Amino acid sequence: MLKDTIDMQTDVLVIGSGIAGVRAAIEAKRSGLDVLLVDKSLLGRASCSIYAGGIIHPKIPEHMERMGFQVPNRLGLPIEKLMRKFLEEGVALGWGHPFLEDQRLMMTIAVELPVRNEELRDFGVKDPYLQHYLGRPGLWGKDILLPMIDCMTDLGVNTLEKVMITDLVRRNDAVVGAVGFGIDSDAFYKIRAKAVVLASGGGAQVYSRTYSPRRITGDGFGLAYRAGARLWEMELIGWENWFCVEPKCPKWWIAYSHGRMRGNLVNKDGEAFFEKYARKLNCLGENATLSPDDPMDKRYGRPIIELVHYFARASAAEISNGKGDNGAVLVDLRKVPEDLFTIESAGLFALNMFRNHDWKRRPVHIAPAAEKSCGGIHINERCESSLGGLFAGGEVSSGSSMPYCLVTGALAGRFASKYAYENELKPFSKVEDAFCADKKKQLEHLTGRRPSKQGDPIDTKAKLGQIMMEHAGVLKTREGLLKGLKLIEEIKEEKLPALYAPTRRKLREALEVVNMVTYSEMIIKSSLYREESRGLHQRVDFPQQDNKNWLKNVLIEKNAKGMSLFDVPVELVWEKPAN
Amino acid sequence: MLRVTFTLKEEDCIGCEKCAEVCPVMAIDFDEEKDKAYFLDKDNCIICRQCMDVCPTGAVFIEGALGQEDIRMG
């Protein structure tokens, strides 16, 4: 295994082929540079983007309006109002951690978004706006991402599929390349680059209940951390309430269809409970009708997309108060006519999911699941990380919605190109060559190790998922987090040293486990650090949002002792919270 | 309830692993000893049809599921 060493060089190296990575590669190629894009799976196919629900919805199909559905018209807002909405709701980063974002970056996104959106037509995307409602069932992002990948390869971007980058190569305070291995080949790759763009996605797979595709394992967080880059806001995980846990059904998100929106969210006693929490959380809209006959957005007076994390919090609280049924709450669809599901792709998707469950007779069990990472590599408004030559875009850099990924992808590509023009490509020094040789040896060591029960990567992934779900879920406590941390330390001591990988596919699994453990530790440590509740980060022992003490970002950096955490105040350059 | 059938024709499978690679939920896995893909857990399939998209020989079929063509405009 790993017989050959392949030396490669490029101006800009992009890691990851979701919408951010592809957009970054297009941007860098258009600047006239050599670009190499590497993905550990097939191009675009293992990304979250291909499953994402389109970019933004400024207009809605006529038939939806007739049925009284509301879709937030964000593009119709003036830039300043759009930016304020991003800050208040955390819309750009994944709904709901008010005022923690870099405001300069948010303003850049608000300004650039309309252009980046419209420009998708140049990449062959037929209609950038209507994907969510009229795309193919279950694969809404496909009609955006696949044309972009074709466009990227037509432009002449070099691509490597099924090559996993395992570490970044550092020279002083800058990143100058990366090493990795081929999953379909016997090759070890040494890649020199003037600039590196990390766009490898988030890591929601660290939770056992998640509907991120299974290769979304936080590799970028591990890569950046080991290279010494700063990460921030790792305590923020996006939670989705509408996740099906029926035994014979796919463990996946139930899409926003007309049918589902007419359903009722109830506890094990059949009581509708969301209202109770919504009043306490003060999240109902002014015109909420609270009538079970209305679709949910009318019922609660706000576009449902803005209520996502409130639903998750309410369900998690209901379950922990003993009102759940087998660790889940129920969505009652019994009175919903089937016709309401069959008028759009999201409804068909839901019907396909319920194929083994008689939803007309029995309610569907649902429970909150991890959807996305909302923290990541610390970047500024130019998508520069704390290391020279390392840029980050998309979910790996702290945001997770398609608008965020699209704009930061373009920004990362643009500023990486600028950096590449200003810096020379030098050969690796002896120290860097030794670093690469050492990394290769580590990989060979993993492949040569004898299989043991302790070191099974797939088993370790499952165990980690359960630990995170139980101890670092929607509602966190100091006690639970400390227990989770202890269990992760045990995995680090007992399981990681025994990891083995008889094949290159298993080697990828094993290295994913290492990155997942690092990411889990980050989530738990920063959750312990932030002693308040804010949007997606909910501490039961510190239930209030504390703007006086916690308008701060929690940062993580590797030092000699291990993981060090510190905080810096948020720069309120444009907007301040009302209280 | 829908009657969905899953078929993976072993004789047409060339062992390229692409379907197993793109499956987001491990409904399809790859048997490295046999060098063939197989359905590991049909119940968990979300019918995203990525496996059908990437299969070079058309060995994977999912039939009976609702698709774009079934959409009725309200």
Side-chain angles (χ1 to χ4, degrees), chain A residues 124-248:
Chain A
V125 178
K126 279 199 187 121
D127 188 340
Y129 302 113
L130 297 181
Q131 302 301 326
H132 195 66
Y133 302 103
L134 298 174
R136 284 157 188 268
L139 262 191
W140 297 297
K142 181 174 160 178
D143 298 331
I144 297 173
L145 189 58
L146 295 189
M148 283 178 77
I149 290 176
D150 289 344
C151 171
M152 172 183 83
T153 42
D154 287 350
L155 281 173
V157 170
N158 301 311
T159 55
L160 277 178
E161 279 185 323
K162 290 180 92 174
V163 169
M164 183 177 190
I165 298 295
T166 56
D167 272 287
L168 300 172
V169 182
R170 219 179 118 162
R171 180 180 301 153
N172 303 323
D173 282 336
V175 170
V176 290
V179 292
F181 69 96
I183 291 152
D184 278 349
S185 63
D186 279 332
F188 176 76
Y189 287 85
K190 269 167 77 177
I191 306 168
R192 288 188 293 130
K194 292 177 185 170
V196 176
V197 176
L198 252 182
S200 53
Q205 278 284 325
V206 297
Y207 287 93
S208 58
R209 266 206 319 267
T210 177
Y211 66 99
S212 64
R214 72 187 162 116
R215 297 261 86 89
I216 303 297
T217 50
D219 301 316
F221 306 138
L223 283 175
Y225 173 74
R226 286 194 295 277
R230 283 182 181 170
L231 295 104
W232 67 331
E233 299 309 346
M234 302 309 273
E235 69 275 22
L236 300 174
I237 303 293
W239 293 97
E240 174 59 71
N241 186 48
W242 310 92
F243 180 83
C244 180
V245 292
E246 282 294 340
K248 298 283 271 178

Side-chain angles (χ1 to χ4, degrees), chain A residues 87 93 97 99-106 109 220-221 224-225 229-237 373-386 392-400 404 408 519 522-523 525-527 529-530 551-558 563-571:
Chain A
L87 291 174
L93 303 195
H97 34 281
F99 288 97
L100 287 188
E101 295 90 341
D102 182 322
Q103 298 201 359
R104 291 189 184 92
L105 180 59
M106 283 306 103
I109 290 171
F221 306 138
Y225 173 74
R230 283 182 181 170
L231 295 104
W232 67 331
E233 299 309 346
M234 302 309 273
E235 69 275 22
L236 300 174
I237 303 293
S373 311
C374 298
I377 298 166
H378 188 208
I379 54 165
N380 60 13
E381 71 277 17
R382 294 179 297 280
C383 291
E384 297 163 334
S385 73
S386 59
E395 198 173 337
V396 78
S397 70
S398 78
S400 47
Y404 179 91
T408 50
Y519 178 41
M522 289 179 189
I523 295 174
K525 285 191 171 163
S526 30
S527 297
Y529 194 95
R530 183 177 286 283
L551 276 175
K552 290 173 183 166
N553 294 125
V554 179
L555 275 80
I556 292 182
E557 198 174 38
K558 188 181 169 193
M563 209 174 267
S564 86
L565 281 85
F566 57 100
D567 57 68
V568 292
V570 180
E571 282 188 73

Side-chain angles (χ1 to χ4, degrees), chain A residues 41 51 66 135 142 214 508, chain B residues 17 20-21 50 53 68 74:
Chain A
S41 185
Y51 295 94
R66 275 210 304 275
K142 181 174 160 178
R214 72 187 162 116
R508 176 173 62 183
Chain B
E17 295 184 40
E21 188 67 37
Q50 284 226 72
D53 274 9
Q68 182 79 6

